[in-house]
Amino acid sequence: MQQSLQNKAANESSNLKLKANSTTASKSKDGWYVALFLGPSLLLLGIFVFYPMLKTFYLSMFLTNNVGKATTFVGFSNYLSLLKNPAYLSSLGATLIYVLAVSALTVIIGLLLAVAANQQLKGIKIFRTLFSSTMGVSVSVAAIFWLFVFNPSVGVLSQLSTALHLPVINWLTDPTFAMIAIIISTVWMNLGFTFLILFGALQAVPTSLYEAADIAGVSKTTQLFKITIPMISPTMFFVLIVTLIEAFKSFGLIDMMTAGGPNNATNLLVYRIYQDAFLNGNFAQASTESIILTVIIAIFTLIQFKLLGKRVNY
Amino acid sequence: MQMTNDRVAPVSAGSRRLKKVGKYLLLIILMFIVVSPFLLGFWTSFLPTAAISKGALWGKLSFDNYVAAVTTTPILRYLFNSLVISLFTMIAQLLFCSMSAYAFVFLRFKYRKFLFYVFLATMMLPFEAEVIPNFMTVRDMGLLDHFAVMIVPFMTTAFGTFMLRQSFMQMPKELKEASDIEGLNHWQFYYKVTLPYAKISMVTLGAYSFLSSWNQYLWPMLTTFSDNFRPVQDGLRQLQSQETFNNWGMIQASAAIVVLPTLIVLFIGQHYFKA
């Protein structure tokens, strides 16, 4: 102990002298360590993130053959023809509707669950656990559950309609209702995670605020809009952006529930990329669509970084 | 809180009880909305398919569908495949993310800041938009339809690096100074001091990476073609779209087999972390 203290003192005094050349010395000494510690990650990101992004951009500037080899340079004309392609534009529109509906409903219902679970009641822990349960559900399991709910012959919804003498809705074969079905399923899948994050934020709101409001005779509803929502709005906005980004990347539920149909009504951006590249062999168009998707997601990620930047130091 | 409320506006015990009933009613309705797809799935997994296809939601309950799923489909093999893939992905991410995070916190080198922003920038690039070149890369590497194709591209992430970096930066400076005096080199300091110190962040990243690997859907669908390597998400997709299409009882039983382990882990984890 004493020895290490003496060592430290000696070290500090010599530090002063060494300071001038210590930076250069440590730089050369750290060289091997930099390669050891950073090398693997840099190599992997280079091969599987940076190279493919550049390659995708490259392919988007060319015409490609059916195995994905670039043949003729066409500049930005792939982009121009894509933005004039009615099928693509309707896919873009459908994606926007889907993304907005999913993120708005996810945050609203998630908040409702979080507020309901943020009470002191007997057995409330059971409700909290069950509210978060959809976090443990993977996409294919969710798709199977909801395919059964929406099934036109054996599904619960159509049986309910028959029993009540209501018209039976063809959930997955009607363009509008297929979109609604996909939105419902996605929101349900998102609820567990959203609930947990918003509930955590609610618990951080000081109870003294509510106590003061109670004394002043403020109603619970007013408290929700004047205290709760303003206090957790940064978290709500964060959840909103995360949900938006994830919704833009939706693929699994669509693949299993509607396969982009009926009539391309649920053919969202990522599903379209998959179809164009791996089913139609149009790699140039799929690459162009990929770059457009990247730009959209990059914009929202930057907003997310800005939000994080307030809470985290870079 | 209840006390102050009472002092201002005294309410009768009766109306307070009514309020309580209302609160529980709301909670139960919300719970029903969240849980009903589960309940329906689990319930039908015990019913004979013949009853389900007639539209009946009752019948003789049995484990027949589970027995059929385990004996006539490769569902257990799919689960095993996913377990192997997710475990190795998790271990690799914990190793490589913590190493690169260490470099950004404790090593001094040229372009450190620039390289860190390069890492951050990868978080803006969606993997879904890069599947075309990545598919060609793994095909050229000869990795198609193998465990490696599901593991190698995901062995490191910028997100994990970023998360561990935040945690490493909170370590007291004295620890590094003391280990310098003790003569520990970077590698020793990394695994003797840094990793144990950031244990909680490592556990969190481990859980996160395991689950994201487990939930992969698009990539394994493109790159695995045989039951020997197909992970569970695509296995379910396969079962749902193939010969078993109308065998709802068995499909629900397979879904239940897949979802129960993650649900149990989630519930235990919550109990453990919040207790």
Side-chain angles (χ1 to χ4, degrees):
Chain A
M1 184 69 198
Q2 207 162 16
Q3 205 180 357
S4 83
L5 273 179
Q6 278 171 353
N7 267 343
K8 201 173 179 187
N11 210 39
E12 262 161 23
S13 67
S14 61
N15 251 357
L16 289 173
K17 285 177 239 163
L18 282 172
K19 205 150 212 173
N21 56 7
S22 75
T23 44
T24 49
S26 75
K27 228 170 228 170
S28 58
K29 208 171 65 186
D30 282 353
W32 285 108
Y33 284 113
V34 173
L36 173 69
F37 279 93
L38 210 50
S41 283
L42 267 184
L43 186 71
L44 284 164
L45 291 178
I47 296 172
F48 292 107
V49 180
F50 286 111
Y51 161 74
M53 196 35 73
L54 294 175
K55 182 75 190 265
T56 306
F57 184 63
Y58 171 84
L59 287 175
S60 76
M61 311 289 264
F62 282 81
L63 296 180
T64 52
N65 63 14
N66 57 358
V67 292
K69 280 255 182 305
T71 50
T72 325
F73 179 78
V74 292
F76 282 97
S77 72
N78 282 334
Y79 290 85
L80 291 176
S81 60
L82 201 57
L83 293 173
K84 276 188 258 167
N85 180 345
Y88 183 72
L89 291 180
S90 85
S91 170
L92 199 62
T95 308
L96 285 181
I97 292 170
Y98 168 85
V99 164
L100 290 178
V102 162
S103 33
L105 288 172
T106 299
V107 172
I108 292 169
I109 301 175
L111 182 67
L112 191 66
L113 294 178
V115 170
N118 194 27
Q119 306 183 84
Q120 294 306 322
L121 289 170
K122 237 191 189 147
I124 193 76
K125 274 197 171 167
I126 298 170
F127 290 101
R128 289 175 188 164
T129 306
L130 290 175
F131 285 176
S132 67
S133 59
T134 71
M135 216 180 125
V137 181
S138 56
V139 68
S140 58
V141 172
I144 286 176
F145 285 164
W146 285 100
L147 272 171
F148 184 71
V149 172
F150 291 123
N151 188 290
S153 53
V154 303
V156 184
L157 287 178
S158 61
Q159 300 216 30
L160 215 63
S161 313
T162 319
L164 298 171
H165 299 288
L166 293 170
V168 173
I169 295 167
N170 287 319
W171 279 98
L172 296 173
T173 44
D174 175 277
T176 311
F177 284 106
M179 177 59 106
I180 295 174
I182 295 282
I183 290 171
I184 292 174
S185 316
T186 314
V187 170
W188 179 78
M189 265 195 81
N190 290 344
L191 280 182
F193 172 77
T194 311
F195 163 74
L196 276 182
I197 304 276
L198 291 179
F199 178 68
L202 279 186
Q203 289 208 308
V205 179
T207 46
S208 58
L209 287 177
Y210 296 110
E211 283 161 18
D214 277 336
I215 291 169
V218 179
S219 77
K220 291 285 176 198
T221 326
T222 317
Q223 288 185 21
L224 175 67
F225 286 101
K226 296 280 175 187
I227 301 174
T228 309
I229 292 180
M231 285 298 284
I232 64 163
S233 61
T235 312
M236 281 174 68
F237 199 58
F238 174 75
V239 171
L240 187 75
I241 299 284
V242 172
T243 315
L244 269 170
I245 293 174
E246 285 308 308
F248 269 112
K249 299 195 279 193
S250 274
F251 179 84
L253 277 177
I254 292 157
D255 181 53
M256 279 183 73
M257 291 180 68
T258 62
N263 267 331
N264 289 322
T266 58
N267 198 348
L268 307 188
L269 291 180
V270 175
Y271 199 76
R272 208 180 178 85
I273 293 173
Y274 157 72
Q275 278 188 324
D276 280 338
F278 294 96
L279 302 182
N280 305 334
N282 192 341
F283 291 95
Q285 184 167 323
S287 300
T288 314
E289 290 168 0
S290 297
I291 295 295
I292 294 176
L293 177 73
T294 305
V295 170
I296 294 172
I297 290 191
I299 290 170
F300 285 106
T301 313
L302 280 176
I303 298 174
Q304 192 190 358
F305 281 170
K306 273 256 150 58
L307 281 174
L308 277 173
K310 283 176 192 158
R311 291 190 288 178
V312 177
N313 47 347
Y314 284 89
Chain B
M1 194 164 149
Q2 206 60 45
M3 295 250 307
T4 53
N5 207 351
D6 283 358
R7 216 181 302 148
V8 178
V11 276
S12 70
S15 86
R16 211 192 300 157
R17 193 171 301 148
L18 204 68
K19 244 186 180 166
K20 217 171 196 178
V21 171
K23 283 178 182 172
Y24 276 114
L25 205 67
L26 176 71
L27 280 169
I28 289 169
I29 293 171
L30 289 173
M31 180 195 76
F32 191 73
I33 295 174
V34 172
V35 187
S36 54
F38 281 116
L39 287 182
L40 212 59
F42 288 150
W43 176 253
T44 45
S45 71
F46 294 109
L47 292 177
T49 294
I52 304 171
S53 43
K54 270 187 243 145
L57 279 182
W58 54 87
K60 195 174 158 287
L61 299 182
S62 72
F63 280 98
D64 290 355
N65 293 322
Y66 288 85
V67 175
V70 170
T71 51
T72 62
T73 74
I75 188 80
L76 292 183
R77 175 74 205 196
Y78 295 151
L79 272 174
F80 169 79
N81 294 344
S82 274
L83 194 68
V84 170
I85 291 164
S86 303
L87 266 181
F88 277 98
T89 307
M90 180 184 84
I91 293 167
Q93 273 197 31
L94 285 175
L95 178 68
F96 292 135
C97 291
S98 64
M99 280 165 63
S100 48
Y102 183 92
F104 284 123
V105 176
F106 294 107
L107 300 180
R108 298 280 162 270
F109 51 94
K110 248 185 173 178
Y111 308 119
R112 189 170 66 125
K113 209 162 186 162
F114 169 77
L115 274 175
F116 183 64
Y117 283 115
V118 166
F119 264 63
L120 275 188
T122 65
M123 284 165 76
M124 297 195 286
L125 309 176
F127 186 81
E128 288 77 1
E130 307 182 315
V131 286
I132 299 166
N134 276 334
F135 178 82
M136 296 172 182
T137 305
V138 293
R139 185 193 56 200
D140 295 345
M141 286 175 164
L143 297 180
L144 283 183
D145 201 28
H146 198 276
F147 284 138
V149 79
M150 290 290 307
I151 299 169
V152 175
F154 309 103
M155 291 200 302
T156 193
T157 62
F159 171 78
T161 303
F162 180 70
M163 188 180 141
L164 292 179
R165 174 181 172 269
Q166 295 300 124
S167 146
F168 292 175
M169 278 180 3
Q170 284 164 6
M171 285 175 68
K173 285 224 156 50
E174 290 76 17
L175 274 177
K176 179 76 182 123
E177 285 162 12
S179 355
D180 282 347
I181 294 160
E182 292 289 325
L184 292 185
N185 65 29
H186 277 300
W187 182 252
Q188 289 165 324
F189 180 65
Y190 160 75
Y191 78 82
K192 280 188 181 157
V193 184
T194 313
L195 289 189
Y197 185 85
K199 203 163 56 189
I200 293 174
S201 301
M202 292 287 283
V203 170
T204 314
L205 178 64
Y208 180 84
S209 57
F210 187 93
L211 270 184
S212 26
S213 173
W214 185 272
N215 287 333
Q216 287 246 14
Y217 184 95
L218 172 61
W219 182 247
M221 173 180 145
L222 297 175
T223 54
T224 55
F225 322 113
S226 71
D227 289 340
N228 285 340
F229 302 108
R230 184 174 286 136
V232 77
Q233 307 304 330
D234 289 78
L236 271 185
R237 170 184 190 267
Q238 195 78 1
L239 290 184
Q240 192 264 327
S241 64
Q242 272 182 354
E243 71 273 25
T244 46
F245 182 64
N246 280 316
N247 193 347
W248 272 107
M250 197 173 82
I251 300 231
Q252 298 282 30
S254 320
I257 292 173
V258 173
V259 79
L260 276 177
T262 36
L263 275 187
I264 290 168
V265 169
L266 181 78
F267 291 162
I268 293 173
Q270 260 182 352
H271 187 77
Y272 177 77
F273 276 115
K274 282 191 180 163

